[in-house]
């Protein structure tokens, strides 16, 4: 038999990053910059205003959201879409490693053939762009040089 107020009846604990993801999802659905109270309302539940402000401030420190002054408070917006935020997280992981070359090499070798092809396509300079005739530099290796054709 359960006793009211027992540990069995505690609310489910959120997973790491779950609250940040909810806040970002709300901001991405917003019609423009919104207040923390707007975010609090959209997330629902019994989340304290101070908790929402803490999450927004942490997201700002991670450059996932931006804020602008609106009277005596701030209005918030997502800094990027989901793909941009994922790219930001990937870059932060890379920035935290001492041997960037090894990390990138391991990442690339673990890609599926389709993802590797996509990455190669994304790294190719546009033929009609201003850098088209520029020297790719020592860090860029062409498909012909590395022996892996497209």
């Amino acid at each position: 038999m359960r006793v009211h107020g027992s540990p069995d009846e505690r609310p489910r604990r959120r997973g790491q990053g779950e609250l940040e993801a909810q806040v970002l999802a709300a901001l991405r659905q917003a019609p423009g910059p919104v207040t923390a109270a707007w975010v609090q309302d959209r997330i629902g539940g019994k989340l304290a205003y101070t908790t929402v402000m803490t999450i927004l401030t942490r997201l700002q420190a991670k450059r996932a959201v931006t804020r602008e002054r609106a009277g005596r408070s701030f209005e918030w917006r997502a800094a990027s879409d989901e793909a941009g935020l994922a790219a930001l997280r990937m870059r932060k992981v890379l920035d935290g490693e001492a041997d960037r070359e090894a990390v990138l090499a391991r990442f690339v070798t673990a890609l599926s053939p389709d993802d590797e092809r996509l990455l190669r396509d994304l790294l190719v300079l546009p033929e009609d762009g201003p850098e088209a005739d520029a020297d790719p530099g020592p860090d860029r290796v062409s498909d012909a040089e590395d022996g892996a054709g497209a």
Side-chain angles (χ1 to χ4, degrees), residues 39-115:
V39 173
Q40 179 188 23
D41 185 53
R42 292 311 178 275
I43 291 176
K46 297 178 181 176
L47 201 57
Y49 178 83
T50 54
T51 302
V52 173
M53 284 299 300
T54 298
I55 296 301
L56 286 167
T57 303
R58 287 180 183 168
L59 287 169
Q60 182 191 21
K62 295 177 181 182
R63 297 184 184 157
V65 302
T66 60
R67 72 178 185 185
E68 53 192 55
R69 179 70 71 183
R72 291 180 19 206
S73 62
F74 291 100
E75 290 185 329
W76 304 82
R77 73 170 50 208
S80 185
D81 59 9
E82 271 189 66
L85 293 172
L88 177 64
R89 287 190 302 269
M90 292 167 65
R91 191 172 62 243
K92 285 185 181 236
V93 168
L94 182 60
D95 288 346
E97 297 298 324
D99 191 349
R100 295 174 72 90
E101 183 177 347
V103 173
L104 284 170
R106 293 277 173 95
F107 175 76
V108 170
T109 59
L111 292 174
S112 71
D114 287 340
D115 286 342

Side-chain angles (χ1 to χ4, degrees), residues 6-22:
S6 70
D8 292 341
E9 290 189 12
R10 287 187 187 147
R12 179 185 70 82
R13 188 169 173 91
R14 290 182 183 87
Q16 183 177 7
E18 186 178 339
L19 190 52
E20 286 184 359
Q22 290 175 346

Side-chain angles (χ1 to χ4, degrees), residues 117-137:
R117 218 174 351 269
L118 176 59
L119 182 58
R120 285 185 181 279
D121 290 346
L122 291 170
L123 290 174
V124 173
L125 292 174
E127 291 182 21
D128 58 348
E131 298 96 7
D133 297 326
D135 178 16

